[in-house]
Structure formats: structure tokens, C-alpha cells
Amino acid sequence: MPAAAQTWAIVDPKRVPTERYFSTELAMLEKDRLWTRTWQFACRLDEIPRPGDFTEYEIADQSILIVRVDDSTVKAYFNACRHRATALGEGAGTFYGGQIVCPYHGWRWNLEGKSTYVYARQGFTPACLDPELLRLRECRVGILFGLVFVNMNPDATPLEIEFAEIAETLAPIGFDRMSVRWWRSIKLPANWKMAQEAFLEAYHVMQAHPSLSMGAADDDYDLDAMSAGFETFAGGHSHALPAPGMDSPVKGMSFNDYFLQFNNALYVGTDAYTTAREMFVQQGLIERDIAEGELPLAFFGALYEYAQGAGIPLPPPATNTAGFAHVFPNLTFLPAYGNSIAYRVRPDANDPESCIFEVWALQIPGTEEEGEAERPTCERLDDIDQWPQIFAEDFRNIVRQQKGVRTHGLDDLIMSEKYEAMIVNSHATVDEYLSGNR
Amino acid sequence: MTARVRVEPAGVEFGVNPGDTVFRAAAEAGFTWPTVCFGGARCTACALTVLSGHNRINPPGRDEQIVLAQLAARRRRTTLRDVRLACRMTVSGDVVVEKKGVKPVEVDNG
């Protein structure tokens, strides 16, 4: 059935039907046609560092075990005993002794998914013990930037091809050198797409984040100074292009001042985009008399000098992207200075108006910070007020949007093809999957 | 620093990295160790007796304490001296333990 025949389908890219954010029918279609066919970030490699380590990836109503088999192999199995469906692992842990063991009747598999033991096998007919029947069912696995991606579709385009353009854009950022500073999640009463879209545009900064617009009202905050637009790729991936020049977006404020205050606000407001490391570097510059417009260059000079001394393998600054980038369908990055915020959003089981939103604060560590790293774990923080200010400001607007899309008389949302191009591209790609064209 | 664990009566030895359990280290060193739940602190099949090096053994956590208490109760005792779960016990130095049935992996069960 063509997507266009549906009331939720995008007909005009500038108008997004509100139904897309609460329709149960659409959520069911996404479950059947989107989540089953797209490459999704399932876990970081450092969550499963050693053979036997596993973590559970849940998406819609599916549970998949991501298992470290050996130094170079990761497998993904649908999380069900072949006997009577018992989930074989929950959360994260280790399959010790290289055996995946069903806690119900003791059936076992090795880390390669092959059946190794059936208790009292004389009670089953030979056909029921066929090794191929007993083998754990697998998903495809792809690894990029130290991240494990899975795809339930055995015929999916390989990850390297599907992500080719966005991976090339993001490669200079150095994600594979980063480790987790913190990782938190929140359940938001909103459709997963609604939650995600708060992080696919910077148009909201002027009003939603006064700390970032430095109090500049209305057109005194020049959005066009922030980015030269967006590059959108087939497959729904996209990223923001670098700013055209070095002009302060805040009218009447020098670029030096703006740069310093922007970093300060993001330190206080996210504890992720900028960290104590950059604040330390920046503090050393404040006392120096730096010519107007020269501060960013001085900052990067000081940052790389500091990094060299601390053994922090910072890659050269990326020149091709302003930072925020979207890896379709549900992963978004906001990198800077060898750090990055990463966002992943998933529908909350079958509820189209609830989602699980995760945030990672990532950073390239120095050599002195290395050692036996613990497996990162996610802290659930459902109280919006407990989050750093800028995240809280975004979350509150997401909740309000979800309230608004239900109101009578609002049939669709209005999109700017200039400022909200990443959102437009993402919706168009969702429809390609739902209509079977991908 | 890697500690050594010696297992009687087989007389086999293997190294245990800090933070790793005896059960995990045995499996990684190529030994089978009796178990049903494979490291879940549930089945008690992996329970061992400490023979020497008591002061180089880290104390049991809550989940192990509960299972050890159940194990003792089955034997109508309040505690079992020197008994620990291999799937939870970590060590800070060399120890000698007793566990029947520990042996090199014979066949590739994969």
C-alpha cells in the first residue's frame, strides 16, 4: 500500500501530520517495517569487553542479546530459548564458561549460538533435536566507531554501504577513541520522533535556551551565523554544515565574548558538550589579552597543547561539519572538542506516546585515565528537574509538544525546509520504509 | 597482579586476575568447573572449600551470602565453614581450594 494513501503520510514535506506522533496504526507499521529493517545502535563495544559478556537491546517489542564471542566477533541473538521461549539474558552480564544457559530447563548454547546441551534429550523426538532447529536465531551485526549496530533484516544493505556518507562525515570526530563519562535515560511521555526532533535543529535555541542565546531577543539572535545549513543524505542521515564565518550570532556581543559564554553555558547546562577540561583550558585564556575574533584559534591552540601534555589523542578539528549529526533512524550526535553528546531514542514498547530517551556524555580520555575500565551502565533519571538545565529545557518542550499534537484543529506541523531540513529528511525516510520502498 | 589458585584433589593451577571470579578464571584457563547455572549464584554446584590463603579471599557479597545460607540450611547447619561460591569468589593473592570434578575441558562442546 503506498504511504500516500494514509492520512499520516507526508504529502508536502513542509507539513507533518500530527497523527504521526500518536497513531497506533503508524506505530504498528513502524514496528513491522522500520525497526525490523534498519541498522540500529544496540550497544557500545566497551559494554561487552570480554568473551561471554552480553547486553540486552530492546526495541519496540523485540529483545536482542548482543554477545561478545571473541576479540573480533560480536553476535546478536533474538532473546528466546528455542524450547519454550524463556528470555536467555536480562539487562547486562556475562555468560560464564562460554555457555548461554536457559534458567528454566537448563538448555544451553555456546557463544556462537550452537546448541550444546538439552537436558533429558531422550524425551524429545530426533526431529526436535535437529541442531539447525535448536540454533539461536541471529540478527546481522555491524560495527562502526566502536559502536555495535544490529539489523533484523537478513537482506539489509550492509552497514558500510548504508552509513557510507554519514560515516565519512563523522570519521574525523574520533568517536572510536571516546569513552563514557556518564550515560542516563529518561522515559518521556512523547512519541519517539517528537523527542528526537528536539535535537535535529538549532532553530529553537533563541527561545528555548536563553543561556545559549545570551539573552538576545528575537532577531537580535542571528540563527544564520550558527550554521550554513544542512547536508541530508539518502537513508535519512544528515548533519549541520559549519558556520559561514566567525560572526557572533548575538547582536552587539564580540565573538570572543560569545565563544567564552557559549562554552560556559554548555558546561553548566549539559556537563557533556564542554567539560571541566575545556573550562580549565579556557580559564588560562581569559587573563590574556586576545584580539577580537582570535579567541577560537587561541582556544584550540591551548586545547591541543594541553591534550598533548595529558596524552589525550585529539584528532584534528573536523572542518566539514558544525557538529550535530543524525544517523537514521534514532541516533544523534552533538560533538565538540574531543567530546560528544550522543542521543538514542526508542519507542516505549507499543505505546506511540511514550519513549525511552538516552543521553551519553562521551570524551576522549588521556593516557593517565586509562586502565581497567568498568563496563558503562545507564542511570535512569525520570525526574526532568534532575537533568542539567539545557536537557531539562528540551525535555519540557517535548512534553508540551506531545500535549499539543492531540488538540483539535491542529492537523499538521509546519516545517522550515531551511532550518528543519534534518527533520524533514528523517520523516521522508520513515515513509520510504513504511511504504516498502526501502 | 595475577593470583594463583590451586585446586585439590586434581592438583591443577590457574591464574585469576583482580576482580575476576574463580569460576570465570577456571573457564578461561580451559577447565570445567561443576555448575548448573553457569555463574548465576543460584545452583550452588560450584561451591568450593577454602584450604589455605583465607586472608587473601575477598568477603562474599549479598547474593552469595543468601545462597550460602540456603546451602547451610539444607545441611541443617547455620554456617558452613570455609565454603564459598566459585562463581562469586574473588581473591587478592594465592589460595588453595578443594573442589571435586574440576578438570581440563575434554571435548569441544561447540
Side-chain angles (χ1 to χ4, degrees), chain A residues 69-123:
Chain A
V69 179
D70 57 40
D71 284 350
S72 59
T73 316
V74 171
K75 293 258 194 185
Y77 302 113
F78 285 103
N79 188 7
C81 178
R82 300 292 298 162
H83 174 215
R84 278 165 60 191
T86 311
L88 297 171
E90 285 183 326
T94 301
F95 294 125
Y96 294 103
Q99 296 288 300
I100 300 168
V101 185
C102 180
Y104 196 178
H105 302 92
W107 287 27
R108 299 203 292 266
W109 293 262
N110 65 14
L111 301 179
E112 303 270 3
K114 186 183 171 190
S115 168
T116 54
Y117 181 72
V118 173
Y119 173 57
R121 53 191 301 131
Q122 66 275 11

Side-chain angles (χ1 to χ4, degrees), chain A residues 50 101 108 110 114 116, chain B residues 20 23-24 28 38 109-110:
Chain A
R50 295 169 61 180
V101 185
R108 299 203 292 266
N110 65 14
K114 186 183 171 190
T116 54
Chain B
D20 279 3
F23 181 82
R24 178 172 202 160
E28 289 183 358
F38 283 80
N109 64 7

Side-chain angles (χ1 to χ4, degrees), chain A residues 173 175 178 272-273 332-336 338-342 360-363:
Chain A
I173 307 286
F175 289 108
M178 294 183 189
Y273 184 93
T332 303
F333 292 109
L334 180 52
N339 306 326
S340 186
I341 303 174
W360 283 260
L362 306 170
Q363 184 166 61

